[in-house]
């Protein structure tokens, strides 16, 4: 018997009852593992720490797990996890609901400034979508663009077409549904009433009816017995009257259910106090068993991965076609306005003049209706008026176009051209996404070919010092999130940590919490720079006075200048100074005022005159895989490859995209670059203001 890897609709109905008891818990943090496992860490007043896992990959589940079964925190959080933390940290868990009898759960969170819903789709390809209070998708793990529904950032979330809900039907509706079938009882329960094979058989057993009895041979007594069994099942689910079980076949876990099943009576079973506890134990045991059977070297399902990537490409290419068609429609409509300039201009002037004379929209609409009866061409072209929007809709060349009477023909046409341009930009973004997905597909195909050729050791030789990372086809991602990563940071050539503030709040925190005895304080002579601290010791070491190398001091000064307004103003050098911790104070001189993030420096300072700006961004492959940035002298030797930048014409995000594309050219494993050095991550290491790559 194959083990269960996906929760059923009945399982989810039971989960909703149990998880509802956690309402009121506060969310602390969100984590994302890979692209299909979401972890929400909560605090409950009575229970303490609560860990909720939602998995939507090959395994599809959602339940609370014990702390010892929580996976270690991943490395640097991806954008999706950061977005969740921003929206949900400190929010109250308000409850969870099931969409009808479908395998879709909606988790609701409430916070003073915003409410958020997290929708987990535990069917098909699986997905997690985050919605705002209006139901608009903030972000999602997988973009879905189908004829039947769309799930994409910026779009209104659309649930899948609702299936028949057998738990909400009365007897007459149940009997009618059964009568419509042309098969036997168990198959009708499984398919027409959406119970699936196992629970279809279970209901037949509980009702003591013949499973394979044809519908035309069944009578009302059979239907009543089945409906009574269904009602009993529904009451169990809503009341929480559970006795969860893990079932084993030859000692191996094969199923987990919220209550005992007659259909599993011949299997060994273990009872649990709650369904979530049973699910936790089941999936931990299942994963352990499969790892032991595979010896840790189970062949990845390359075919499924390839098929998944191809489906994504098909969806993306479909979106590109839609964008092309939409852009063509917008341009053709604009051209039609110019081709019918006099007619459109007459309509716009008529409406505009009428509004200036104080004539209401209803009266204007009546005038156009009268004009249409008299055969006036301009009146005949008007197909609608929208008073709430202040617009008039005109039929031009067999297409309706909404116009703003406050603007002329040129402005209305220009608006359509701008919309066409915006759609073209979206199409170009989709084309880039297709290219990236194709590269990921090619990487999976290479890994499959290497596996089949016997070259399955994708892990680097730990003792090798000459790994050619740039030409390596597959680079394992290894990260370890550090406490200082919320600030600007780098390590000097001598290995000392330098941290700088990104804003006034962080400048305050750095001085109040992280400036210790033995450290050095740096700042630019001009206003508008980060508080920069060269740490003499680590967080777990006792503070002490040490002689810091001149090279590290110079690199810290260059860092302070490069991330200040010196760079933002397009200058290539500036002055910085250094002070001891006891010289830095938040107390201003008499009669003076210190703004947030500002500090008073008392005593002599050490100046670094005419310090040249300079930043390099690079990618490390060992011992960690990540993007880093800072003074070129400190970055070049720590990275596999680095790119130096200087003040220039490209905005921060545009410059980050240029570096990203350059890194992709340098690495054979382009999917690795996308994972560890996305444009967003690169931008964190670029100074505010314009930049360009140094030739």
């Amino acid at each position: 018997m194959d083990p269960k890897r996906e929760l059923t609709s009945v399982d989810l109905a039971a989960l909703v009852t149990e998880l509802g008891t956690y309402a009121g818990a506060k969310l602390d943090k969100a984590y994302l593992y890979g692209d299909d496992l979401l972890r929400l860490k909560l605090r409950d007043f009575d229970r303490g720490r609560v860990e909720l896992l939602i998995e939507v990959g090959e395994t599809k589940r959602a339940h609370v797990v014990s702390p010892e079964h929580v996976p270690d925190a991943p490395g640097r959080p991806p954008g999706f996890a950061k977005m969740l933390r921003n929206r949900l940290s400190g929010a109250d868990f308000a409850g969870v609901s099931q969409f009808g009898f479908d395998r879709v759960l909606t988790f609701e969170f409430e916070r003073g400034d915003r409410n958020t819903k997290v929708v987990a789709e535990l069917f098909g390809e699986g997905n997690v979508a985050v919605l705002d209070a209006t139901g608009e998708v903030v972000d999602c793990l997988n973009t879905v663009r189908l004829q039947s529904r769309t799930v994409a950032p910026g779009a209104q979330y659309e649930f899948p077409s609702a299936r028949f809900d057998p738990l909400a039907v009365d007897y007459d509706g149940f009997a009618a549904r059964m009568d419509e079938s042309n098969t036997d009882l168990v198959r009708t329960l499984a398919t027409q009433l959406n119970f699936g094979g196992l629970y279809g058989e279970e209901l037949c057993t509980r009702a003591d009816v013949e499973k394979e009895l044809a519908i035309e041979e069944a009578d009302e007594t059979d239907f009543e017995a089945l409906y009574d069994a269904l009602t009993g099942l529904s009451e169990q689910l809503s009341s929480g009257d559970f006795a969860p079980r893990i079932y084993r076949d030859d000692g191996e876990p094969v199923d987990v259910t919220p209550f005992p099943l007659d259909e599993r009576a011949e299997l060994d079973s273990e009872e649990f106090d709650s369904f979530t506890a049973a699910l936790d134990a089941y999936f931990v045991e299942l994963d352990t068993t499969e790892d032991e059977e595979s010896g840790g070297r189970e062949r990845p399902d390359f075919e499924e991965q390839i098929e998944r990537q191809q489906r994504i490409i098909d969806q993306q290419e479909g979106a590109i076609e839609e964008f092309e068609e939409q852009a063509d429609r917008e341009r053709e409509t604009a051209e039609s306005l110019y081709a019918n300039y006099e007619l459109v201009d007459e309509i716009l002037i008529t409406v505009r003049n009428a509004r200036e004379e104080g004539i209401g929209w209803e009266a204007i609409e009546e005038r156009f209706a009268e004009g249409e009866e008299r055969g006036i061409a301009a009146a005949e072209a008007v197909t609608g008026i929208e008073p709430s929007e202040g617009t008039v809709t005109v039929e031009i060349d067999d297409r309706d176009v909404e116009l703003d009477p406050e603007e002329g023909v040129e402005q209305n046409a220009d608006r359509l051209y701008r919309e066409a341009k915006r759609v073209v930009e979206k199409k170009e973004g989709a084309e880039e996404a297709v290219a990236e997905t194709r590269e990921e597909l090619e990487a999976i195909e290479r890994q499959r070919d290497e596996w089949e050729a016997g070259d399955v050791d994708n892990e680097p030789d730990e003792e090798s010092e000459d790994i050619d990372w740039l030409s390596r086809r597959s680079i394992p991602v290894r990260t370890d999130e550090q406490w200082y990563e919320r600030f600007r940071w780098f390590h000097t050539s001598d290995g000392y940590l330098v941290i700088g503030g990104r804003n006034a709040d962080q400048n305050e925190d750095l001085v109040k919490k992280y400036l210790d005895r033995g450290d050095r304080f740096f700042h630019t002579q001009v206003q508008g720079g980060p508080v920069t601290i060269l740490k003499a010791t680590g967080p777990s070491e006792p503070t002490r006075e040490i002689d810091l190398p001149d090279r590290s001091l110079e690199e810290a000064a260059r860092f302070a200048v490069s991330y200040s307004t010196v760079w933002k103003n397009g200058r290539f050098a500036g002055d910085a100074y250094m002070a001891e911790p006891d010289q830095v104070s938040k107390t201003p001189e008499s009669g003076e005022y210190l703004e947030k993030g500002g500090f008073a420096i008392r005593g002599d300072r050490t100046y670094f005159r005419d310090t040249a700006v300079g930043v390099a961004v690079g990618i490390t492959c060992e011992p960690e895989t990540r993007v880093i940035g800072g003074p070129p002298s400190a970055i070049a030797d720590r990275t596999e490859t680095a790119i130096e930048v200087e003040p220039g014409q490209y905005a921060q995000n545009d410059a980050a995209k240029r570096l990203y594309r350059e890194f992709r050219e340098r690495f054979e494993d382009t999917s690795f670059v996308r994972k560890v050095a996305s444009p967003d991550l690169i931008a964190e290491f670029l100074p505010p203001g314009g930049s360009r790559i140094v030739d």
Side-chain angles (χ1 to χ4, degrees):
M1 181 184 298
D2 292 333
K4 175 163 80 176
R5 299 211 67 103
E6 298 184 5
L7 299 188
T8 67
S9 295
V10 172
D11 295 334
L12 296 186
L15 265 177
V16 166
T17 300
E18 279 199 0
L19 293 179
T21 64
Y22 291 90
K26 285 193 176 294
L27 192 137
D28 283 338
K29 215 165 189 179
Y31 303 85
L32 181 65
Y33 301 79
D35 60 355
D36 59 14
L37 178 59
L38 180 65
R39 168 188 163 200
L40 300 179
K41 181 180 179 182
L42 302 102
R43 286 178 291 110
D44 183 81
F45 181 78
D46 295 319
R47 302 177 179 89
R49 176 182 172 187
V50 176
E51 296 280 1
L52 175 65
L53 291 189
I54 302 172
E55 189 169 8
V56 295
E58 181 180 351
T59 296
K60 294 180 176 66
R61 56 180 176 139
H63 56 89
V64 172
V65 302
S66 61
E68 58 265 27
H69 294 158
V70 172
D72 293 336
R76 191 173 188 82
F80 189 85
K82 289 181 180 178
M83 174 275 298
L84 278 176
R85 293 180 185 184
N86 180 53
R87 294 188 65 89
L88 297 182
S89 292
D92 292 325
F93 173 49
V96 59
S97 59
Q98 182 180 13
F99 177 62
F101 196 58
D102 286 337
R103 289 183 291 163
V104 180
L105 294 181
T106 300
F107 299 85
E108 298 189 31
F109 296 89
E110 297 177 351
R111 202 170 68 181
D113 59 335
R114 63 178 59 151
N115 294 340
T116 303
K117 294 181 180 179
V118 177
V119 181
E121 299 181 355
L122 301 170
F123 65 91
E125 294 299 312
N127 202 1
V128 174
V130 180
L131 318 181
D132 65 14
T134 68
E136 181 177 300
V137 179
V138 178
D139 202 355
C140 52
L141 291 183
N142 298 310
T143 298
V144 178
R145 296 187 187 277
L146 303 174
Q147 188 173 7
S148 59
R149 62 192 293 255
T150 296
V151 180
Q156 282 291 310
Y157 178 79
E158 299 177 56
F159 283 99
S161 299
R163 300 192 306 162
F164 178 77
D165 185 356
L167 301 183
V169 69
D170 59 16
Y171 175 74
D172 290 338
F174 170 79
R177 190 84 174 182
M178 297 291 289
D179 273 330
E180 292 173 0
S181 176
N182 59 1
T183 182
D184 56 29
L185 292 178
V186 68
R187 288 183 176 84
T188 302
L189 291 169
T191 59
Q192 301 301 311
L193 275 82
N194 299 322
F195 275 110
L198 174 62
Y199 282 96
E201 293 182 348
E202 179 68 17
L203 288 174
C204 288
T205 300
R206 291 187 180 190
D208 194 22
V209 299
E210 184 182 342
K211 298 176 183 178
E212 298 180 359
L213 181 67
I215 289 293
E216 59 267 23
E217 297 178 12
D219 57 24
E220 188 170 350
T221 302
D222 297 316
F223 286 175
E224 288 176 348
L226 285 172
Y227 187 73
D228 287 343
L230 185 158
T231 302
L233 178 69
S234 179
E235 290 175 351
Q236 274 187 290
L237 292 172
S238 60
S239 68
D241 181 19
F242 305 150
R245 295 285 195 282
I246 288 180
Y247 289 98
R248 296 182 176 84
D249 187 10
D250 290 333
E252 306 299 337
V254 292
D255 202 357
V256 54
T257 62
F259 29 68
L261 299 184
D262 292 338
E263 290 301 304
R264 295 284 191 244
E266 295 181 359
L267 298 177
D268 294 333
S269 66
E270 178 183 359
E271 184 174 353
F272 287 81
D273 293 334
S274 69
F275 190 34
T276 56
L279 288 168
D280 181 21
Y282 173 79
F283 283 107
V284 168
E285 186 176 354
L286 180 64
D287 291 341
T288 302
T289 300
E290 292 181 347
D291 286 345
E292 292 173 351
E293 291 176 350
S294 67
R297 296 183 71 241
E298 180 182 3
R299 181 186 187 276
D301 190 350
F302 294 116
E303 288 71 24
E304 192 279 333
Q305 296 177 35
I306 290 171
E307 183 181 350
R308 175 184 175 86
Q309 294 301 110
Q310 190 58 59
R311 283 196 297 269
I312 293 173
I313 290 172
D314 291 341
Q315 290 179 359
Q316 292 169 333
E317 289 180 338
I320 290 172
E321 291 180 6
E322 292 178 5
F323 290 144
E324 288 176 344
E325 293 172 359
Q326 184 181 352
D328 288 342
R329 286 196 303 270
E330 299 293 346
R331 282 190 292 263
E332 290 170 1
T333 303
E335 291 164 4
S336 293
L337 293 184
Y338 280 114
N340 297 271
Y341 190 100
E342 293 184 0
L343 176 68
V344 176
D345 192 43
E346 180 182 349
I347 295 171
L348 295 175
I349 290 175
T350 299
V351 175
R352 188 161 56 246
N353 289 342
R355 293 298 295 160
E356 290 175 354
E357 293 172 7
I359 298 174
W361 287 105
E362 186 175 343
I364 293 173
E365 193 169 12
E366 291 174 356
R367 286 190 180 184
F368 277 118
E370 294 171 359
E372 183 179 5
E373 292 177 357
R374 298 200 303 270
I376 299 174
E380 291 176 337
V382 176
T383 60
I385 288 177
E386 183 53 59
S388 62
E389 300 293 332
T391 60
V392 57
T393 300
V394 179
E395 183 181 357
I396 301 294
D397 294 339
D398 297 325
R399 61 169 62 90
D400 284 340
V401 54
E402 191 175 47
L403 303 173
D404 183 355
E406 295 298 319
E407 298 180 339
V409 178
E410 295 86 350
Q411 291 89 342
N412 276 283
D414 185 57
R415 171 172 51 80
L416 294 170
Y417 281 125
R418 290 198 306 272
E419 177 62 16
K421 181 179 179 181
R422 186 185 70 83
V423 173
V424 168
E425 290 174 351
K426 292 175 66 175
K427 186 196 79 168
E428 291 171 350
E431 288 173 338
E432 289 184 8
V434 168
E436 292 178 352
T437 306
R438 289 192 184 280
E439 290 173 355
E440 293 179 0
L441 174 60
E442 291 171 1
I444 295 171
E445 290 173 337
R446 287 197 302 270
Q447 292 171 11
R448 177 198 59 192
D449 294 343
E450 290 172 357
W451 182 284
E452 293 176 351
D455 181 18
V456 298
D457 183 12
N458 287 327
E459 294 297 323
D461 182 354
E462 295 295 336
E463 298 187 6
S464 173
E465 297 180 357
D466 299 314
I467 299 174
D468 185 1
W469 293 105
L470 296 180
S471 62
R472 194 178 182 90
R473 289 187 172 185
S474 179
I475 304 175
V477 176
R478 294 166 296 181
T479 57
D480 184 15
E481 188 174 3
Q482 301 294 334
W483 63 269
Y484 48 75
E485 291 179 27
R486 67 188 182 97
F487 303 108
R488 296 193 184 279
W489 65 275
F490 79 99
H491 286 93
T492 70
S493 299
D494 306 296
Y496 292 95
L497 174 65
V498 175
I499 48 180
R502 295 183 181 276
N503 50 48
D505 287 332
Q506 288 197 351
N507 285 345
E508 292 270 350
D509 284 347
L510 285 173
V511 171
K512 290 180 178 178
K513 300 178 182 178
Y514 299 100
L515 183 59
D516 299 315
R517 182 170 66 91
D519 296 344
R520 299 293 186 274
F521 174 97
F522 289 82
H523 204 278
T524 54
Q525 187 66 11
V526 298
Q527 288 187 341
V531 162
T532 300
I533 297 175
L534 172 57
K535 296 293 295 179
T537 54
S540 60
E541 301 174 336
T543 60
R544 64 186 189 278
E545 297 285 351
I546 62 173
D547 291 328
L548 291 162
D550 289 341
R551 182 171 58 176
S552 290
L553 299 177
E554 291 166 359
E555 288 173 346
R558 192 175 192 186
F559 176 88
V561 171
S562 296
Y563 290 93
S564 73
T565 53
V566 172
W567 186 292
K568 192 173 184 179
N569 293 334
R571 294 163 52 197
F572 285 78
D575 295 339
Y577 64 83
M578 179 181 72
E580 302 288 337
D582 57 8
Q583 293 180 254
V584 184
S585 173
K586 272 297 293 180
T587 304
E589 299 290 349
S590 178
E592 295 183 355
Y593 169 76
L594 291 177
E595 295 182 351
K596 188 173 186 179
F599 302 90
I601 308 298
R602 296 183 172 86
D604 295 335
R605 313 175 186 185
T606 300
Y607 282 90
F608 295 80
R609 301 290 186 184
D610 202 27
T611 298
V613 300
V615 168
V617 179
I619 297 176
T620 65
C621 293
E622 55 181 356
E624 291 182 300
T625 50
R626 64 178 311 140
V627 59
I628 64 173
S633 59
I635 298 302
D637 292 339
R638 293 179 179 272
T639 59
E640 185 61 29
T641 184
I643 302 173
E644 190 170 348
V645 295
E646 63 184 11
Q649 70 272 37
Y650 300 109
Q652 191 178 50
N653 289 335
D654 292 336
K657 292 175 183 177
R658 287 174 173 268
L659 267 67
Y660 172 68
R661 288 194 287 267
E662 176 63 26
F663 283 131
R664 285 168 61 88
E665 290 290 330
R666 298 184 182 187
F667 279 88
E668 178 74 15
D669 186 359
T670 54
S671 63
F672 161 76
V673 177
R674 185 174 179 226
K675 294 173 185 174
V676 305
S678 67
D680 286 346
L681 295 174
I682 292 172
E684 292 184 7
F685 291 94
L686 292 176
S691 301
R692 67 183 179 194
I693 296 175
V694 176
D695 296 331

